[in-house]
Amino acid sequence: MHQNTYPQSFAWGAATSAYQIEGAWAADGKGESIWDAFCRRESVTFAGHDGRIACDHYRRSEEDVGLMREIGLNAYRFSIAWPRILPDGTGAINSRGLDFYDRLVDALLAAGIQPWATLYHWDLPLTLCHRGGWLNAESPQWFADYTQAVVTRLGDRVRHWITLNEPQCFIGLGLLNGLHAPGLKLDWPDVLRAGHHALLAHGRAVQVLRAAGGDRFKIGWAPVGGARVPATNSPADIAAARQAMFAITERSIWATTWWADPVMLGRYPEDGLRIFGAAASAHSEEEMRIISTPVDFYGTNVYSAQIVAAGPDGCPRQIPPPPGVPMNMYYWPVLFDALHWCVRFLHERYGKPVVVTENGTSSMDWVNADGRVQDPQRIDYLRRQLQGLASAMQAGVPVEGFFVWSLLDNFEWHEGYRQRFGLIHVDFETGRRTLKDSALWYRDFISGKSR
Ligand code: FCB
């Protein structure tokens, strides 16, 4: 099926992030991150789990690149730990931290795998948190300086860059509801101010990257997908889903346009400004110009979706998922057309090529007595999401890559190690890796055998 849908240059990848896999939390001059500190607090993560060792990827990166090669990936999305590069967040550069990524990038390239580097996947240097973190108006400058340090070292070999991963999460879960590091519960004006600084940090980083790499670089970001799917394929339901995906009808940190309109269109959405009112930060034209510095692709992380129908008045109405709907271990409903509609709607509104920077599901996988890891639900999930993606591409949406979340089972934030999202099973006692059936299926899909 769909043999010719994917362009030759399509990135077939898997994704990870530094704190979730690296471990080696104090190695080679690394500073502490807010996640190192957060996990020391009582009862904030499942069973007190933390990322001090995680997948021990810092020491096993060669083995892991070997496994990527076995799967046949041609791209790998990883994140760089800011506190490895700048242990104090600003100032002195720790070259040993950069050495790790330098080696990783070389190993990837030698294996024929394109490195896709994410600059910020939530592990802010702790010292910067003590200076107010994203609330501090200097934070965009800190991020620009950090970006400069990274691109100076890696920019000759890394061409694909992602600035921020899911600002909705690190601001919303980190500063609004306290579920993630640094565990704060701030009021809306502070939350939105921090969010505004994060957007400025994104824009500043794009400028630094563009100055370093010009057109040679492909630069994007990876916000939360925010997918809405129509309850039926009727034009009215499709229109309602589209409208719901981009509307702000209540104060919510998850509103896609609150983050994406500034980045892609250079303005905050009118409905959001009305709803947040005085809680929204003042912003100058110059700031909006920085935030909307052009990117090359829109990265989207998609897992689930909300179902929307047109009400009798034509207005969008959210439909609860049907009883017994499949769910992952987060109890996120599995809706097989989430990716299809998400990339379609995003491309319609923002006009950029799309990259699926994360898509996957968690399940309770274990190593069978015969050594095999069977995860049929992950295979079915990925196969069906990819079918939806292919049909969106056939309908004209330019999609440039697909990254499974995740390469490895890993530290799933406040959920600790109880959520397994990997294509590769990790035994967290021994560090032992086992390719799951889904990894073998993905290998055949990438090579065209099982499409
Ligand atoms: C996303 C995060 C990623 C992982 C997956 C399951 O929100 O970007 O780190 O936690 O969810």
Side-chain angles (χ1 to χ4, degrees):
M1 213 199 262
H2 309 312
Q3 281 285 17
N4 302 318
T5 305
Y6 303 101
Q8 198 54 39
S9 60
F10 196 81
W12 288 110
T16 62
S17 87
Y19 189 72
Q20 294 180 275
I21 65 163
E22 285 178 1
W25 70 286
D28 298 336
K30 175 180 168 291
E32 286 205 75
S33 81
I34 54 174
W35 273 95
D36 290 311
F38 184 67
C39 290
R40 283 198 292 264
R41 288 166 53 176
E42 240 171 72
S43 310
V44 293
T45 62
F46 172 73
H49 293 172
D50 62 49
R52 277 185 297 180
I53 299 175
C55 307
D56 202 20
H57 169 76
Y58 192 79
R59 286 178 237 285
R60 290 173 172 258
S61 58
E62 256 181 58
E63 178 186 352
D64 290 339
V65 172
L67 294 170
M68 292 178 215
R69 190 182 197 156
E70 230 176 293
I71 301 174
L73 305 184
N74 66 13
Y76 171 54
R77 175 180 175 225
F78 60 97
S79 84
I80 293 170
W82 187 343
R84 285 200 196 282
I85 312 304
L86 295 152
D88 290 325
T90 57
I93 295 175
N94 174 36
S95 61
R96 285 185 299 165
L98 279 166
D99 290 345
F100 169 68
Y101 298 104
D102 208 87
R103 287 194 303 273
L104 176 64
V105 164
D106 283 346
L108 289 167
L109 291 173
I113 301 168
Q114 286 295 325
W116 289 54
T118 302
L119 287 163
Y120 188 69
H121 203 125
W122 309 355
D123 44 357
L124 189 75
L126 184 61
T127 47
L128 296 184
C129 181
H130 294 154
R131 291 163 70 185
W134 296 108
L135 285 164
N136 191 319
E138 286 176 37
S139 53
Q141 183 62 49
W142 302 337
F143 193 62
D145 292 344
Y146 155 63
T147 302
Q148 187 66 63
V150 173
V151 76
T152 301
R153 186 67 171 290
L154 303 179
D156 57 337
R157 284 153 294 150
V158 175
R159 290 183 47 226
H160 294 90
W161 297 91
I162 291 161
T163 56
L164 305 179
N165 184 72
E166 298 188 347
Q168 294 91 334
C169 286
F170 70 80
I171 299 294
L173 304 178
L175 305 184
L176 179 65
N177 71 20
L179 200 62
H180 279 190
L184 301 177
K185 293 186 181 182
L186 303 175
D187 292 335
W188 278 111
D190 283 338
V191 170
L192 297 182
R193 193 155 53 92
H196 186 63
H197 293 151
L199 290 178
L200 276 166
H202 156 84
R204 293 290 308 276
V206 177
Q207 292 179 338
V208 169
L209 292 169
R210 193 66 76 200
D215 290 347
R216 201 170 62 81
F217 282 1
K218 296 284 177 224
I219 306 169
W221 66 325
V224 170
R228 300 292 191 282
V229 299
T232 72
N233 272 343
S234 76
D237 284 352
I238 293 172
R242 177 188 294 112
Q243 191 184 330
M245 183 154 160
F246 299 118
I248 304 184
T249 53
E250 57 178 10
R251 287 187 171 198
S252 163
I253 203 70
W254 304 107
T256 292
T257 53
W258 186 256
W259 304 92
D261 279 15
V263 167
M264 308 305 291
L265 308 176
R267 55 177 146 71
Y268 279 103
E270 285 300 326
D271 51 1
L273 287 170
R274 204 169 49 244
I275 278 167
F276 285 121
S281 317
H283 46 273
S284 67
E285 269 179 33
E286 170 61 9
E287 286 175 339
M288 299 314 289
R289 211 180 48 73
I290 293 170
I291 291 171
S292 57
T293 305
V295 292
D296 300 303
F297 64 88
Y298 193 110
T300 184
N301 295 350
V302 185
Y303 292 89
S304 186
Q306 286 174 19
I307 307 170
V308 179
D313 51 359
C315 288
R317 202 161 41 93
Q318 197 183 317
I319 307 284
V325 73
M327 296 195 189
N328 72 5
M329 293 208 49
Y330 260 119
Y331 294 100
W332 296 345
V334 168
L335 299 170
F336 296 110
D337 51 354
L339 202 49
H340 176 86
W341 289 107
C342 191
V343 301
R344 264 179 99 146
F345 290 152
L346 286 173
H347 179 65
E348 274 174 19
R349 185 175 180 91
Y350 297 122
K352 288 280 174 190
V354 179
V355 173
V356 180
T357 35
E358 290 178 20
N359 179 243
T361 191
S362 57
S363 48
M364 184 47 81
D365 313 312
W366 67 82
V367 183
N368 289 359
D370 65 3
R372 184 172 157 198
V373 183
Q374 290 168 301
D375 56 342
Q377 293 180 332
R378 178 167 295 102
I379 295 175
D380 191 60
Y381 177 96
L382 292 171
R383 181 190 282 130
R384 294 214 244 174
Q385 297 291 356
L386 280 162
Q387 269 164 6
L389 189 70
S391 70
M393 291 169 76
Q394 282 151 6
V397 181
V399 182
E400 297 183 339
F402 177 84
F403 291 81
V404 175
W405 184 273
S406 180
L407 179 73
L408 302 162
D409 290 340
N410 60 46
F411 174 75
E412 178 50 32
W413 310 113
H414 62 290
E415 288 282 298
Y417 296 97
R418 74 168 156 177
Q419 300 268 352
R420 293 183 179 271
F421 275 90
L423 293 167
I424 299 173
H425 181 278
V426 178
D427 177 332
F428 293 105
E429 300 282 310
T430 61
R432 192 183 144 78
R433 278 93 163 117
T434 309
L435 295 191
K436 299 181 190 177
D437 282 359
S438 59
L440 305 176
W441 170 83
Y442 194 40
R443 178 193 64 195
D444 290 347
F445 190 89
I446 293 172
S447 72
K449 239 200 234 168
S450 71
R451 257 180 240 168

